[in-house]
Amino acid sequence: MKKINVVIYGATGSIGKSTLSIISKNLDKINIEGITCNKNILKLLKIAKSYNVKKIGFNEKYIYKLNKFNLNKFEVFSDDSSFHSIVSKKTDVIIFATSGLSSLDLLLKILKSGKIVGIANKECIITLGKKFINLSKKYKTKIIPLDSEHNSIYHLLRQNLGKYKSITITATGGPFLNYTKKKLSYVTPQQATKHPVWKMGSKISIDSATMMNKALEIIEAKYLFNLKNDEINAIIHPQAIIHALVNYENGISTALLNKPDMRIPLSSLFFEFNKYSNVYRGIELTNYSNFEFIPIDKNKFPAVELGYQVMKIGGLAPHIFNYLNEILVNLFIKRKIKFLDIVKLNELNIDKFFGKNSNISDPKLSDIKNINYWIDNNLYLGN
Ligand code: NDP
Ligand code: MG
C-alpha cells in the first residue's frame, strides 16, 4: 500500500506533537516528507531523526549561520519564504500548524497546491477572510479544518441533512470561568497559560483565557462554512465533549461526542471518519452526569461581543481585531499590559483605526500589510 506523504508546518508545536503521536502508531501508512519550525532546531532535528525526515525548514536564518548543527544530511529550507518548496508532486497531505499570522504568505502558496490541507491556524483564515475558501476552491485544494469545533462541524455537515438554521460552537470557559471580574484584573501570564482541559501553545491558551479564542473561532467558522453573522453562536460547555452543534429548522440539533483530544480531529486527515485507530478511548456517558451548558458572561468576557461587532463592520475589521490581539497577547506575556487590557485595548485601537482610516471591503494582501504598519506605528496602550 502506498504511504501517505505528509508535510508538517509547525512540527515542533502542540499540534505538531499530536500529529506525531498519530504517525508514530501508523508508520506503515504515513511517511513524513518535511517538517518546519520557527527556531526550535534541536527539537526539529530530533523529530527528523526519529521519523527519517529528509526535508527540514526553520525560519530564523541565524540557525543556518551557526554552522554547529549537522544539517548536511538534510535538504534544508532556511527561511519561511522557501517553505512552500518542501511540498512536492508526491505530497498528499499538508498540515498547517504554525501559530499566528507570520506564515500568511506561505498559506497563500499552500492554498494553490491542490493538495489536502489540514488547517489548525485560525489567525491566517481570519485575515484572508473570503479569499481563504475562494482560493482553495479555485485551485482544488481540499481543506480539512483541524480546530476541534470546526472539525466537528465539517463532519456534521458531511451528513448532508440539508439546510440548517444555525451552528453553535462550545467553549470550555478557560481557566478563569469562575473568577470575578475583579480577580481577572490581577491574573498573570503563567495563570492564563494553564488551560483546564487542553494543553496548547501559549498564544492560544491566553486566547482561551480571555475567550478571544472563541471570538476568533466564530469568525473562523463564518469564513470556513460561509455563514451569516446570525448563523453562528457560542456557549460554554466546560466538559468539552460536544464541540459543535448544527441546528436545523425542525428543532433537531446534531452533534458529535468526543473527548477533548486533538488527535481525533487530526486523524481525519489520514483515515476515513469511522476508521480512526482504536487508541482513543470512547465516551462513557455515565461519567458525564454533570454536562453543563452556560451562556457566555459578556461583562467578564467581552471578547465574543467585540468579535460580533467586528464581523458586522466587516472589511478590514476582522483582520485588525486579529492582528491587534496578537500584539496585545505578546505585551501581556511580557507583562507590559494587564489581562483585561487585552480585549479593552483591542476595542479602543479598532475605534482609533476607523476614526482615522476608511474601511476596505475586500482588502488585498498589500492593504493588510499597510494596515499592520499603521497599527504598529499608532498603537494606543492607554496612559
Ligand atoms: P505552538 O506555539 O505550540 O506551536 C507553533 C508552531 O509554529 C511551532 O512549531 C513553532 O516553531 C512554529 N512557528 C511559530 N512561528 C513561526 C514562524 N514565524 N515561522 C515558522 N514557524 C513558526 O502552537 P499550537 O500548536 O498550540 O497552535 C498552532 C496553531 O493551531 C495556532 O494557530 C492555534 O490557534 C491552532 N490551534 C491549536 C490547538 C492546540 O490544541 N494546540 C487547537 C486548535 C487550534 P518553534 O517551536 O520553533 O517556535
Ligand atoms: Mg478550538
Side-chain angles (χ1 to χ4, degrees):
M1 196 178 79
K2 183 189 165 294
K3 284 192 186 182
I4 302 167
N5 283 307
V6 52
V7 171
I8 312 170
Y9 293 111
T12 51
S14 151
I15 293 283
K17 187 178 175 192
S18 299
T19 309
L20 294 171
S21 158
I22 298 171
I23 297 175
S24 67
K25 295 182 182 72
N26 292 284
L27 291 170
D28 56 329
K29 300 186 190 79
I30 308 170
N31 171 56
I32 309 182
E33 192 181 352
I35 49 175
T36 72
C37 70
N38 186 30
K39 58 179 184 230
N40 199 343
I41 184 71
L42 290 176
K43 193 165 178 185
L44 195 77
L45 289 175
K46 201 169 162 210
I47 299 169
K49 279 184 198 136
S50 309
Y51 293 86
N52 194 20
V53 185
K54 301 279 184 313
K55 301 182 202 175
I56 60 166
F58 40 85
N59 187 40
E60 293 283 1
K61 283 200 180 75
Y62 73 87
I63 290 170
Y64 204 62
K65 289 182 193 138
L66 285 180
N67 223 358
K68 67 177 180 186
F69 303 110
N70 196 359
L71 299 178
N72 47 19
K73 280 190 265 168
F74 302 100
E75 196 177 336
V76 175
F77 297 79
S78 63
D79 80 277
D80 168 277
S81 65
S82 65
F83 281 7
H84 64 282
S85 330
I86 297 176
V87 174
S88 73
K89 264 192 183 153
K90 64 174 197 171
T91 310
D92 300 297
V93 172
I94 301 168
I95 300 180
F96 197 79
T98 58
S99 55
L101 278 169
S102 55
S103 311
L104 193 62
D105 290 331
L106 172 63
L107 180 60
L108 279 171
K109 290 177 189 144
I110 297 304
L111 288 176
K112 297 178 183 170
S113 67
K115 309 279 184 188
I116 297 172
V117 175
I119 180 135
N121 179 310
K122 62 197 82 179
E123 294 91 345
C124 289
I125 299 177
I126 294 162
T127 285
L128 290 180
K130 286 182 195 148
K131 271 190 216 53
F132 179 80
I133 283 298
N134 290 346
L135 265 178
S136 62
K137 278 192 182 144
K138 183 170 169 194
Y139 289 90
K140 298 192 166 53
T141 299
K142 181 175 177 187
I143 301 295
I144 302 189
L146 299 178
D147 212 344
S148 55
E149 300 77 2
H150 307 73
N151 190 266
S152 250
I153 300 169
Y154 168 80
H155 288 300
L156 290 167
L157 294 182
R158 286 177 86 198
Q159 295 176 322
N160 277 327
L161 296 180
K163 203 175 168 307
Y164 50 86
K165 199 170 69 176
S166 66
I167 290 179
T168 303
I169 56 174
T170 67
T172 59
F176 307 136
L177 177 60
N178 297 315
Y179 277 40
T180 59
K181 186 141 189 187
K182 186 156 181 241
K183 210 171 159 194
L184 281 180
S185 55
Y186 303 112
V187 299
T188 64
Q190 283 72 16
Q191 287 172 295
T193 38
K194 278 208 190 88
H195 197 276
V197 176
W198 301 96
K199 195 163 174 352
M200 310 179 286
S202 54
K203 155 85 175 33
I204 182 175
S205 298
I206 293 173
D207 286 347
S208 297
T210 54
M211 296 216 46
M212 236 334 163
N213 186 46
K214 218 41 56 180
L216 295 173
E217 287 184 353
I218 286 173
I219 307 174
E220 178 187 10
K222 171 188 167 104
Y223 292 131
L224 278 172
F225 304 107
N226 192 21
L227 303 171
K228 297 194 185 81
N229 298 349
D230 60 359
E231 288 174 340
I232 173 78
N233 54 64
I235 52 166
I236 291 173
H237 167 47
Q239 294 74 28
I241 297 295
I242 293 176
H243 305 272
L245 294 124
V246 178
N247 311 305
Y248 291 91
E249 297 283 356
N250 62 359
I252 292 175
S253 294
T254 57
L256 299 172
L257 277 68
N258 62 272
K259 287 200 172 140
D261 180 337
M262 281 310 288
R263 291 176 303 171
I264 295 177
L266 281 158
S267 291
S268 55
L269 285 173
F270 308 114
F271 309 106
E272 282 302 310
F273 179 76
N274 60 350
K275 302 268 167 60
Y276 297 173
S277 122
N278 59 9
V279 294
Y280 315 113
R281 281 172 298 130
I283 303 281
E284 184 61 64
L285 269 182
T286 49
N287 290 338
Y288 292 97
S289 53
N290 62 340
F291 259 28
E292 294 165 286
F293 300 97
I294 311 162
I296 298 170
D297 181 334
K298 293 178 190 169
N299 179 38
K300 264 194 334 191
F301 300 109
V304 172
E305 199 63 15
L306 184 58
Y308 278 108
Q309 283 175 37
V310 154
M311 287 202 295
K312 206 170 152 203
I313 302 170
L316 289 168
H319 163 67
I320 294 173
F321 175 67
N322 184 26
Y323 184 66
L324 279 167
N325 181 50
E326 203 163 311
I327 297 175
L328 294 165
V329 167
N330 276 325
L331 289 172
F332 172 65
I333 291 172
K334 291 182 187 145
R335 292 173 176 268
K336 299 236 163 83
I337 62 169
K338 295 226 167 88
F339 181 76
L340 289 175
D341 290 336
I342 300 175
V343 179
K344 197 167 94 190
L345 290 172
N346 194 314
E347 183 169 12
L348 290 173
N349 278 286
I350 292 174
D351 286 349
K352 180 174 175 184
F353 180 87
F354 286 112
K356 304 232 185 238
N357 301 277
S358 42
N359 204 353
I360 302 173
S361 61
D362 187 14
K364 297 197 235 0
L365 201 61
S366 55
D367 297 321
I368 298 288
K369 289 189 174 161
N370 289 338
I371 267 94
N372 294 353
Y373 183 79
W374 192 92
I375 293 173
D376 292 343
N377 288 289
N378 290 278
L379 191 66
Y380 170 72
L381 292 179
N383 296 309

